[in-house]
Amino acid sequence: MAGLINNLLILLLVFQNSCLGFRNPLSVFKRYKDTTRSLSSECLGNNRPVISLGLTDFALDIRMPGVTPKQSDTYLCMSLHLPVDEEAYVVDFRPQASMDTVHHMLLFGCNVPSSTENYWDCDEGTCTDKSNILYAWARNAPPTRLPKGVGFKVGGETGSKYFVLQVHYGDVSAFRDKHKDCSGVTLHLTHQRQPLIAGMYLMMSVNTVIPPGEKVVDADIACHYQKYPMHLFAYRVHTHRLGKVVSGYRVRNGQWTLIGRQSPQLPQAFYPVEHPVDISFGDTLAARCLFTGEGRTMETHIGGTASDEMCNFYIMYYMEAKHAVSYMTCTQNINPDMFRNIPQEANIPIPVKSDMIMMTHGHHHEETKKTDDSFSLKQPKREEEEVLDQDFHIEEAVDWPGVNLKLGQVSGLALDPKNNLVIFHRGDHLWDGNSFDSSFVYQQRGLGPIEQNTILVIDPSNADILDSTGKNLFYLPHGLSIDKDGNYWVTDVALHQVFKLGVHDNEPLLILGRSLQPGSDKNHFCQPTDVAVDPVTGNIYVSDGYCNSRIVVFSPNGMFIMQWGEETSVGKAKPGQFRIPHSLTLVPEFGQLCVADRENGRIQCFRSETGEFTREIKHKLFGRELFAVSYIPGGLLFAVNGMPYPGDIVQGFVMNFSTGEIIDTFIPVRKSFEMPHDVVASEDKTVYIGDVYAKTVWKFTSTEKMEHRSVKKAGIEVQEIKAETVIEARLKNKPVSTESQKKWEKHHIVEQASPGISFVLITTLLIIPIVVLLAIAVFIRWRKTRVYGADADHKLESSSGRILGRLQGKGSGGLNLGNFFASHKSYSRKGFDRLSTEGSDQEKDEDDGTDSEEEYSAPPPPPVSSSS
């Protein structure tokens, strides 16, 4: 009887396989080797996206629906709904693409795609909610199969309901024959519960600049790991043409353990981690990309086009299901000094045969560039553009104690007429999902107004609190502005009102809007976000707001003048349309008002007198959202974006207002941006950013101020200039560019505070103190020789050794310029990093456990003891 049952089971299995043979799933998974140059009718994804692989498994074919990109560096997206409601696990990825047509692909998981169209331009975004990167492919990489028992969780109550495929078409010369592209990826999913959940950790450099002709350029990334243990099983490297090698490491107790190392010019697959590597609480993850600028005639920056560069190190990991985190990022370098100990292998390019490079680049030699940025209604060049100083970099003032102030949610920042920083925060009140009903009526009136002072005046140098006000007035503070007379102008999204407050007045001088009554007429606001006051006319501009999409203008005494703006329509946002006008800044020199159009990820500028649209500033680097904007006289515009989406970097921006060009980007060293909410800048390029989630304020300064500081010597005020470029070039016998030489000479000769003082006189004044010190030293030596005899030699030698040691550095046999100048406070090491091979005297960042790049809302797990 048992034998009969066994025979029947075997026949059943044979019959089942025969039936499945008519649509054999293996044919789907083998198609990754075939070319993608097929017509849309041949795309499996259009006709049969779901293929059964048995009782518990199925394949999902995600393909572009037959598209023909019309210009190079086009990013197209499409989405596919998960065909099941219950939980499923992705255990295999099979690419269906060729480097002949596709530069790279990314697969995201989310719940709300940015569009319901068959496909769309990814400039509109990938998802409107939080999304996770599940897979990445480039350069004819082979398939990726996860270890047994490991899967990416999708569906169910907490997993993603949609897959969104993003395809970057680099060079459209491949589409000269007008064929339709159906590239994509095939997933193998199972309903069998996987005990280990997979995730993606992305390490990415965001501010690397590769000078033209430079032989070796390093891009370093490092972050502390402060979550539950994860186990690494695969890695992938990604750069464009200038990348030579990318290496990733775990650093534990000073020991570097290799995760993976590969040439980005080889197929950019997920390669297995050769030796198991676990990451525990307190470890550091570090990566280095090695570039060359040879063959380039212009600087190369990090960006999204083929002629830009990228430095990405992807890590696939798995965690226990109960602690699983699906996606993490690292975009900082929390300890640059540690890279002095990086293994030498990270600095050695991996040789790649020329025929392999040809294959991975798809045989295309032409580099076409489409700008990542849109800047509509470009203005004619003004004369001041030619001399706008762009030779600076914004960096965090790491010794400023204001980052440790005890604050509530920081919603607004401003500078008063004395250049003091003014902070508007929410005390013990929080804006969360219970704060408003569906009609935007505030639901927590029972809490009463905030009992703490919500407006704090801070000394910009030492962060001392100079003054405070705003107690028992507000429920949910938001925007802050200060007029030329020093009056505070604030908005409260719970009260739906705008207030004018005197510095020492307990009662408002002016109130706009009706208390706790949302509306959209001349007398009501609906969660107004910001306010600005024209210094000339006194007119009041209000951005209204979260539930209205308009700018409202009032006279100085509060009379309605006009309004403009409308809600963003379906598709690409048009001029004058808003999706949360979140922040305002006036540009008096140009008679304009600029608005941070938050959810549209752009800046819109209008003529302040008429509301006429003048320009849009939008960059891919902004990402999905742009939270705040601030202008300073001289033509500089500062901005900050918001909460990160996959592929977005939360950072600050400096722009040339006239051209819209990004001059610089910056991020903090201490802590990390979580949800930066407001930015304000002063004329000396000091920048403050307040974060509503981190509940803190960062101060950033320009390195220009550190390198060009006024000092007094011998009673004569001169301008001390640190000419790193000239010195470095001379020490290396490198020619100095004419422009740099002229600039250096101009600073050294023309811009002295006293033009009549000759070079000889200044040199004499500088030498006099040295001569005096030497005379004193000789006198002391003579005296000690007479008094102590031979013992004085030893004592004097010891004293001299201490002085010379500060010049030479420990263990050094010669003068170390890098360490010598680094010993001076506020010195920028720019230009001297490569002169020194000894230890640096540069101040290290305090490791206080708050440098983690990732957001973490739950309490951190206890440190886990683990072996090396």
Side-chain angles (χ1 to χ4, degrees):
M1 182 68 180
L4 179 61
I5 293 174
N6 287 336
N7 290 335
L8 288 173
L9 287 173
I10 291 171
L11 287 173
L12 179 62
L13 289 172
V14 170
F15 178 74
Q16 183 184 21
N17 286 335
S18 299
C19 293
L20 290 174
F22 288 105
R23 66 175 185 191
N24 188 354
L26 291 177
S27 63
V28 176
F29 292 118
K30 288 178 181 177
R31 290 189 60 186
Y32 75 91
K33 295 181 179 178
D34 301 334
T35 177
T36 61
R37 291 198 170 203
S38 54
L39 297 175
S40 60
S41 61
E42 298 175 10
C43 291
L44 180 63
N46 282 347
N47 302 322
R48 194 177 59 192
V50 184
I51 305 102
S52 174
L53 301 179
L55 296 177
T56 60
D57 291 13
F58 62 97
L60 199 59
D61 207 45
I62 305 173
R63 302 285 199 98
M64 276 293 161
V67 299
T68 304
K70 294 180 174 56
Q71 57 185 355
S72 295
D73 290 315
T74 294
Y75 286 76
L76 296 181
C77 290
M78 61 83 61
S79 66
L80 186 65
H81 190 273
L82 185 67
V84 295
D85 294 327
E86 58 270 27
E87 287 182 2
Y89 300 84
V90 182
V91 296
D92 197 4
F93 301 87
R94 300 275 171 165
Q96 314 283 354
S98 167
M99 190 63 185
D100 286 339
T101 53
V102 174
H103 183 273
H104 72 261
M105 298 188 300
L106 290 175
L107 184 68
F108 299 85
C110 66
N111 290 320
V112 186
S114 291
S115 175
T116 58
E117 298 294 327
N118 208 16
Y119 70 94
W120 66 92
D121 189 328
C122 299
D123 281 350
E124 300 174 22
T126 53
C127 302
T128 59
D129 63 332
K130 183 180 179 181
S131 57
N132 302 319
I133 295 179
L134 301 178
Y135 179 68
W137 174 94
R139 296 186 177 171
N140 293 335
T144 300
R145 184 170 183 83
L146 277 60
K148 187 175 181 179
V150 176
F152 284 91
K153 181 181 174 182
V154 295
E157 293 182 0
T158 59
S160 300
K161 306 297 191 298
Y162 279 87
F163 296 102
V164 177
L165 176 68
Q166 180 193 90
V167 178
H168 175 199
Y169 296 96
D171 185 359
V172 294
S173 62
F175 290 86
R176 289 170 181 164
D177 58 358
K178 305 298 183 183
H179 75 276
K180 296 183 182 297
D181 182 66
C182 308
S183 298
V185 59
T186 301
L187 310 183
H188 181 173
L189 297 96
T190 180
H191 290 296
Q192 295 181 2
R193 185 179 295 274
Q194 303 296 297
L196 301 169
I197 303 302
M200 186 79 72
Y201 193 108
L202 172 59
M203 305 186 73
M204 176 168 53
S205 175
V206 298
N207 54 9
T208 297
V209 178
I210 304 171
E214 191 74 21
K215 189 173 182 180
V216 177
V217 179
D218 297 329
D220 295 333
I221 317 155
C223 285
H224 291 308
Y225 184 76
Q226 296 180 316
K227 297 187 184 299
Y228 288 92
M230 65 176 178
H231 306 270
L232 316 184
F233 63 90
Y235 71 97
R236 172 182 177 264
V237 305
H238 179 70
T239 73
H240 294 171
R241 295 175 182 269
L242 301 185
K244 295 300 183 183
V245 64
V246 182
S247 310
Y249 298 87
R250 178 197 70 189
V251 185
R252 177 183 293 170
N253 299 324
Q255 297 296 315
W256 293 67
T257 301
L258 181 67
I259 298 170
R261 171 177 174 266
Q262 190 55 275
S263 168
Q265 305 308 321
L266 293 172
Q268 294 184 359
F270 275 97
Y271 294 89
V273 176
E274 291 187 4
H275 305 287
V277 178
D278 67 283
I279 308 296
S280 299
F281 188 98
D283 288 343
T284 297
L285 286 162
R288 166 170 285 181
C289 296
L290 188 72
F291 294 101
T292 179
E294 292 180 322
R296 292 289 175 96
T297 58
M298 299 178 63
E299 284 187 346
T300 305
H301 296 258
I302 298 296
T305 71
S307 57
D308 291 325
E309 265 304 335
M310 287 186 174
C311 170
N312 295 356
F313 187 76
Y314 295 83
I315 304 172
M316 274 192 182
Y317 62 86
Y318 63 83
M319 305 174 73
E320 292 183 11
K322 62 181 178 181
H323 299 312
V325 179
S326 59
Y327 181 63
M328 292 179 274
T329 60
C330 171
T331 60
Q332 292 184 327
N333 183 0
I334 51 103
N335 187 3
D337 288 342
M338 68 183 287
F339 284 89
R340 291 178 177 167
N341 300 316
I342 193 170
Q344 189 59 28
E345 63 191 357
N347 302 315
I348 302 174
I350 295 178
V352 180
K353 294 181 180 180
S354 58
D355 57 344
M356 180 64 73
I357 295 177
M358 290 287 289
M359 182 192 78
T360 58
H361 282 287
H363 306 283
H364 297 307
H365 298 279
E366 179 184 355
E367 277 194 3
T368 55
K369 181 176 180 179
K370 163 187 167 282
T371 179
D372 278 345
D373 316 323
S374 71
F375 187 74
S376 60
L377 297 182
K378 287 200 173 183
Q379 307 297 312
K381 263 201 167 183
R382 298 165 55 95
E383 289 184 7
E384 54 262 41
E385 281 182 37
E386 307 294 339
V387 296
L388 180 63
D389 179 17
Q390 300 181 8
D391 187 19
F392 64 89
H393 176 58
I394 301 298
E395 295 178 348
E396 184 188 352
V398 294
D399 56 348
W400 190 63
V403 74
N404 299 314
L405 286 170
K406 301 300 181 184
L407 303 168
Q409 292 184 333
V410 179
S411 62
L413 300 175
L415 296 173
D416 67 14
K418 297 179 180 178
N419 231 28
N420 294 317
L421 173 66
V422 182
I423 299 173
F424 196 30
H425 72 113
R426 294 174 184 158
D428 57 2
H429 283 206
L430 299 175
W431 186 354
D432 56 28
N434 300 316
S435 298
F436 296 90
D437 63 13
S438 59
S439 300
F440 308 106
V441 175
Y442 186 57
Q443 298 297 295
Q444 297 173 333
R445 293 176 59 184
L447 297 175
I450 300 169
E451 296 179 355
Q452 299 87 25
N453 281 315
T454 55
I455 301 175
L456 306 178
V457 182
I458 305 297
D459 188 312
S461 59
N462 57 25
D464 287 347
I465 299 177
L466 304 177
D467 198 3
S468 59
T469 187
K471 182 186 300 185
N472 295 319
L473 284 177
F474 308 110
Y475 286 82
L476 281 181
H478 200 277
L480 167 68
S481 179
I482 299 177
D483 63 25
K484 62 182 178 64
D485 297 321
N487 298 305
Y488 302 142
W489 294 80
V490 299
T491 71
D492 189 311
V493 291
L495 293 171
H496 306 286
Q497 288 180 303
V498 177
F499 299 85
K500 175 184 179 181
L501 299 169
V503 176
H504 301 293
D505 293 329
N506 295 324
E507 296 296 327
L509 302 177
L510 179 68
I511 301 177
L512 302 175
R514 299 287 189 267
S515 177
L516 298 167
Q517 297 180 20
S520 56
D521 57 25
K522 299 178 181 179
N523 300 313
H524 292 81
F525 301 112
C526 192
Q527 297 178 344
T529 54
D530 203 7
V531 57
V533 180
D534 192 305
V536 178
T537 66
N539 286 346
I540 307 159
Y541 298 85
V542 179
S543 50
D544 181 36
Y546 281 93
C547 32
N548 289 328
S549 299
R550 62 177 181 169
I551 306 299
V552 192
V553 188
F554 299 88
S555 68
N557 59 2
M559 299 297 294
F560 174 85
I561 296 177
M562 64 175 175
Q563 69 177 41
W564 71 82
E566 60 182 22
E567 188 176 354
T568 300
S569 56
V570 178
K572 188 173 182 179
K574 299 176 182 178
Q577 294 184 336
F578 299 108
R579 186 174 290 154
I580 307 183
H582 195 258
S583 171
L584 300 176
T585 188
L586 284 160
V587 187
E589 300 167 43
F590 295 85
Q592 296 185 29
L593 174 79
C594 292
V595 185
D597 187 4
R598 191 178 108 171
E599 300 298 302
N600 285 324
R602 63 179 179 174
I603 299 169
Q604 292 194 76
C605 297
F606 306 85
R607 298 197 184 282
S608 53
E609 291 184 359
T610 63
E612 176 190 356
F613 174 80
T614 60
R615 66 180 63 185
E616 173 193 81
I617 303 176
K618 185 177 176 69
H619 296 272
K620 279 190 179 295
L621 286 178
F622 287 172
R624 288 276 310 279
E625 298 178 345
L626 190 80
F627 268 60
V629 63
S630 177
Y631 176 83
I632 65 171
L636 290 179
L637 197 62
F638 296 79
V640 65
N641 58 2
M643 291 184 65
Y645 290 82
D648 293 351
I649 307 301
V650 184
Q651 56 190 327
F653 303 90
V654 188
M655 288 161 283
N656 181 325
F657 176 78
S658 296
T659 66
E661 170 195 7
I662 292 179
I663 299 171
D664 192 21
T665 61
F666 56 95
I667 56 177
V669 176
R670 297 175 296 170
K671 301 186 179 181
S672 298
F673 283 151
E674 295 182 32
M675 189 175 177
H677 199 260
D678 201 9
V679 60
V680 66
S682 62
E683 290 189 35
D684 65 353
K685 304 185 189 71
T686 298
V687 187
Y688 301 91
I689 290 182
D691 194 304
V692 74
Y693 279 2
K695 298 181 180 179
T696 194
V697 178
W698 286 273
K699 178 182 178 179
F700 299 85
T701 56
S702 166
T703 54
E704 177 190 50
K705 293 193 302 177
M706 298 179 183
E707 297 170 11
H708 296 205
R709 59 184 190 271
S710 179
V711 297
K712 289 189 177 182
K713 295 182 178 178
I716 300 174
E717 187 170 351
V718 300
Q719 190 76 7
E720 182 184 30
I721 309 295
K722 300 201 185 310
E724 296 93 333
T725 306
V726 177
I727 295 174
E728 182 184 21
R730 290 177 177 172
L731 290 176
K732 292 185 176 181
N733 294 321
K734 289 166 59 177
V736 184
S737 68
T738 304
E739 182 180 351
S740 298
Q741 181 70 34
K742 287 181 177 178
K743 182 175 181 180
W744 184 74
E745 291 173 355
K746 178 181 178 183
H747 280 303
H748 256 74
I749 299 173
V750 179
E751 293 188 357
Q752 293 183 7
S754 181
I757 300 175
S758 69
F759 175 77
V760 175
L761 178 57
I762 293 174
T763 303
T764 303
L765 292 172
L766 291 174
I767 290 175
I768 286 173
I770 298 174
V771 173
V772 172
L773 286 174
L774 288 174
I776 293 172
V778 171
F779 176 75
I780 292 173
R781 181 183 178 89
W782 176 74
R783 290 278 297 182
K784 288 192 174 185
T785 302
R786 291 187 59 190
V787 177
Y788 298 106
D791 289 343
D793 291 337
H794 173 74
K795 293 180 180 180
L796 183 60
E797 185 180 81
S798 175
S799 176
S800 301
R802 285 194 297 269
I803 297 172
L804 290 174
R806 298 178 70 179
L807 295 178
Q808 294 174 343
K810 295 181 180 179
S812 171
L815 178 63
N816 183 326
L817 291 177
N819 288 348
F820 173 68
F821 284 107
S823 66
H824 291 72
K825 189 177 180 183
S826 78
Y827 167 71
S828 170
R829 291 183 55 88
K830 177 181 176 184
F832 285 105
D833 286 317
R834 298 196 169 275
L835 296 182
S836 171
T837 57
E838 300 85 18
S840 172
D841 293 330
Q842 186 179 16
E843 293 181 3
K844 294 183 180 179
D845 299 330
E846 292 295 327
D847 185 0
D848 59 359
T850 61
D851 295 324
S852 173
E853 170 65 22
E854 300 83 28
E855 294 182 21
Y856 189 49
S857 56
V864 180
S865 59
S866 58
S867 62
S868 299

